[in-house]
DNA sequence: CTGAAAGCGCTTACAG
DNA sequence: CTGAAAGCGCTTACAG
């Protein structure tokens, strides 16, 4: 059996609360007693029971991260591992506990979240969009569960705490960049229609294309997998009105485009320019530097964790900047139209 | 304030332990009381405080996973995200809590592990090799901390619980496959020398090469990154005695080899055969199916989690099969020597 | 600076 | 089938 505070107290010849003070507020204990108690702690290899401390303090020190492992996209994406790594590092640095959850089925996971919070297993949750449905979000709001979403939710963006990359801006600057190179027929491999990522990118693209009537955008929906990017790119590149440039929602899709271009013997950037939205990590694999929008998405985890941490520790919340700035990073995958 | 068991008891007009029974052993409660209590639970939106339950039951339901996020290799590798996904899924399915940790500095993390266990924050730990040093392992053993390592540790393999892929076998069957195709000069991009992965692969390779004196193996050490694979492959392929095939420790290295081959205008498999050890996920990106050794490494997380779960739940441990079987998966990246 | 008392929210025997 | 009592390991006021 592990030794308890009482064991230490007996051995040191003091009361339990003196032992407690030695650990929590040593400045209130005399040097002599401190020494005695510490000796006893050492001798018994005493470690205070965290569960008991949490109970009496009525505190929770855990942040829950919900991961949608059921979808294939997650397995291929480095986005989620980057996110969890950032949250884990933040928690380890700030003496918080990071718990990871996933759902077995496609059922209502908001019930799980409510349970986790109300049973005091977690003090708050970090969720990802769009793995939580709008109904679930409303449920969480009505139950007053503390949470933050990584990725813009589909509804109530004013009332729901979230952080996201500025995808609208990302869409705009990507297309602007291509236009500058003279491209007027541009393919657009977007994400799935149920993601706000896709809506936002399209909004950014449209904002620019509206100003340039001769611009021809050819948008395809993908599920953000390599395979799908490859197939949709092939379709675009084989069409009669072959685009001279393709804008992809992320770099995994860009790799798919490259694969299709190779197959059709199209050189990059001479025959085809490629520009990517989020750089998730796969782009590194390409034999050229991929021109892309730096979204600093690796900061999302840190911001989300910090937000939840303030909540859990009862510190006053700081202004949550909902959108991260983006900027263009020029690589070698874009060129002028010949 | 959240309602407690006493609140429910009062409202239902019963004692607290009847409420407790309603939740934990409803078969011992009369239908009538059951109904009354459940109504009160519902009315008060009562959720039993997990911390209090754990304290009185003297139980821990958490498995800790230690991730070496400090190293670059982790960020590029899909191995760790696959591992954490598997463990997370197992825990969610078995009503266990998965906690993720990382270390800030390169200091002694075994102290952290001892603390986590003795303060009863976790019931056991899943570690990865080689992120835990031999000294730390010995420390953990001497402190009797329950743990399991994913990956073969460098020492005391008989006494330390671990699961790993059968890398010796993987090395052997990869080389055998190349020999069958007539290759006699083979490059070998191994992992870093401090990993048992590398030792094991080499052992498997050597076991075969010993039987065939004319075989010329050219081994290079890499840090398992794309960049390093590319550079080492370039060296090999530019050398006077250019190998006709390259065996890489994992598929990220294989992608590096492909990049180098492209640069030198070497066709695969006509001019160069490639075979990869572990298929981590990056291989998917190649324009051909990569011949590789299927190590089923995605099972490692599940096995490790199951092992720790049995320990935590005080079930008798089942025989831990330390090595997973491997088998060759033929792709399109290997061919006969011309 | 230190200790006796009370309590955090729950469950486990023990009676009845 | 149900309740009174005791206790899990700790900390927080309250005295002294």
């Amino acid at each position: 059996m592990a030794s308890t505070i009482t064991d230490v107290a007996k051995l040191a010849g003091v009361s339990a609360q003196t032992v407690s003070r030695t650990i929590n507020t040593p400045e209130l204990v005399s040097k002599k007693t401190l020494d005695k108690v510490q000796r006893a702690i050492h001798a018994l290899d005493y470690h205070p029971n965290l569960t008991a401390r949490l109970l009496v303090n009525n505190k929770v020190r855990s942040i829950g991260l919900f991961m949608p492992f059921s979808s294939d996209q997650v397995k291929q994406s480095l986005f989620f591992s980057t996110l969890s790594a950032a949250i884990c590092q933040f928690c380890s640095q700030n003496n918080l506990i990071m718990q990871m959850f996933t759902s077995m089925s496609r059922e209502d996971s908001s019930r799980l979240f409510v349970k986790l919070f109300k049973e005091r297993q977690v003090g708050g949750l970090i969720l990802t969009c769009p793995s939580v449905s709008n109904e679930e979000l409303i449920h969480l709001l009505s139950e007053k569960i503390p949470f933050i979403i990584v990725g813009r939710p589909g509804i109530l963006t004013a009332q729901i705490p979230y952080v996201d990359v500025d995808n609208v801006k990302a869409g705009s600057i990507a297309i602007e960049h291509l236009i500058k190179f003279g491209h007027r027929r541009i393919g657009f491999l977007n994400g799935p229609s149920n993601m706000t990522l896709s809506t936002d990118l399209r909004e950014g693209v449209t904002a620019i294309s509206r100003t340039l009537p001769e611009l021809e955008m050819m948008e395809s929906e993908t599920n953000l997998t390599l395979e799908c990017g490859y197939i949709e790119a092939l379709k675009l590149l084989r069409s009669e009105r072959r685009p001279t440039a393709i804008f992809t929602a992320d770099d995994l899709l860009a790799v798919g485009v490259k694969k299709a271009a190779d197959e059709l013997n199209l050189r990059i950037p001479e025959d085809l320019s490629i520009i990517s939205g989020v750089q998730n990590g796969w782009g590194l694999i390409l034999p050229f530097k991929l021109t892309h929008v730096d979204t600093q998405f690796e900061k999302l985890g840190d911001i989300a964790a910090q937000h939840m941490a303030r909540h859990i520790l009862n510190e006053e919340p700081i202004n949550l900047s909902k959108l991260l700035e983006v900027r263009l990073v020029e690589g070698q995958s874009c060129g002028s139209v010949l």
Side-chain angles (χ1 to χ4, degrees), chain A residues 17-314:
Chain A
Q17 50 270 49
T18 299
V19 178
S20 177
R21 281 193 204 96
T22 303
I23 293 166
N24 301 305
T25 51
E27 65 276 12
L28 300 182
V29 182
S30 76
K31 271 221 173 97
K32 207 174 152 190
T33 333
L34 211 58
D35 197 58
K36 230 175 13 181
V37 176
Q38 275 164 347
R39 214 181 294 274
I41 288 178
H42 214 81
L44 294 174
D45 191 28
Y46 168 69
H47 293 260
N49 183 317
L50 185 71
T51 310
R53 299 177 97 167
L54 289 175
L55 178 61
V56 64
N57 285 325
N58 194 26
K59 269 183 191 155
V60 182
R61 296 196 64 86
S62 300
I63 294 181
L65 171 65
F66 182 73
M67 296 283 263
F69 284 135
S70 40
S71 86
D72 264 3
Q73 186 211 326
V74 177
K75 288 172 197 155
Q76 276 195 26
S77 168
L78 292 174
F79 176 79
F80 291 91
S81 49
T82 306
L83 186 68
S84 61
I87 295 171
C88 180
Q89 283 178 311
F90 180 90
C91 287
S92 289
Q93 266 159 19
N94 292 275
N95 196 24
L96 291 167
I97 299 171
M98 169 187 168
Q99 299 185 4
M100 215 160 99
F101 302 94
T102 190
S103 67
M104 270 78 285
S105 51
R106 196 64 207 102
E107 53 154 349
D108 191 352
S109 32
S110 65
R111 299 195 174 287
L112 171 67
F113 303 152
V114 172
K115 183 167 172 286
L116 290 176
F117 177 73
K118 294 204 170 174
E119 290 188 352
R120 308 189 65 76
Q121 192 178 130
V122 301
L125 289 150
I126 299 177
L127 311 174
T128 54
C129 180
S131 58
V132 182
S133 73
N134 291 344
E135 294 71 37
E136 291 175 322
L137 284 181
I138 292 172
H139 183 201
L140 292 180
L141 280 179
S142 73
E143 290 277 15
K144 300 205 198 314
I145 308 298
F147 68 96
I148 180 169
I149 304 188
V150 175
R152 183 174 74 79
I155 48 157
L156 296 172
T157 48
Q159 297 158 60
I160 294 180
Y162 73 91
V163 266
D164 200 356
V165 147
D166 191 345
N167 285 311
V168 176
K169 188 81 180 293
S172 289
I173 65 179
I175 298 301
E176 275 173 337
H177 188 69
L178 292 176
I179 289 175
K180 224 185 299 170
F181 273 112
H183 297 280
R184 292 298 179 267
R185 205 151 63 221
I186 301 176
F188 174 21
L189 296 192
N190 205 352
S193 57
N194 66 334
M195 287 180 70
T196 50
L197 160 72
S198 315
T199 324
D200 290 351
L201 285 178
R202 185 184 303 122
E203 185 181 327
V205 167
T206 311
I208 303 300
S209 65
R210 253 201 312 262
T211 66
L212 193 69
E214 71 216 77
L215 188 69
E216 190 178 338
M217 292 296 308
M218 309 158 80
E219 180 179 340
S220 300
E221 180 176 336
T222 74
N223 60 4
L224 296 176
T225 61
L226 175 68
E227 186 66 14
C228 193
Y230 164 70
I231 290 171
E232 293 303 320
L234 267 188
K235 281 189 205 160
L236 282 174
L237 296 174
R238 278 181 178 150
S239 73
E240 288 191 14
R241 299 186 63 73
R242 175 159 71 76
T244 59
I246 294 183
F247 167 44
T248 62
D250 73 9
D251 58 347
L252 184 56
L253 289 177
V255 175
V257 172
K258 161 74 165 128
K259 195 167 164 180
D262 281 348
E263 201 165 310
L264 301 175
N265 282 314
L266 296 172
R267 292 161 306 165
I268 291 163
E270 292 84 353
D271 305 318
L272 179 71
S273 289
I274 305 179
I275 186 169
S276 153
V278 195
Q279 173 96 318
N280 278 337
W282 292 90
L284 297 171
I285 235 159
L286 293 170
F288 47 77
K289 280 194 181 149
L290 181 64
T291 298
H292 67 277
V293 182
D294 178 13
T295 57
Q296 307 185 292
F297 79 98
E298 65 284 353
K299 289 189 184 168
L300 292 175
D302 204 65
I303 293 176
Q306 194 155 5
H307 182 82
M308 278 319 317
R310 298 195 75 86
H311 182 94
I312 286 178
L313 303 174
N314 286 317

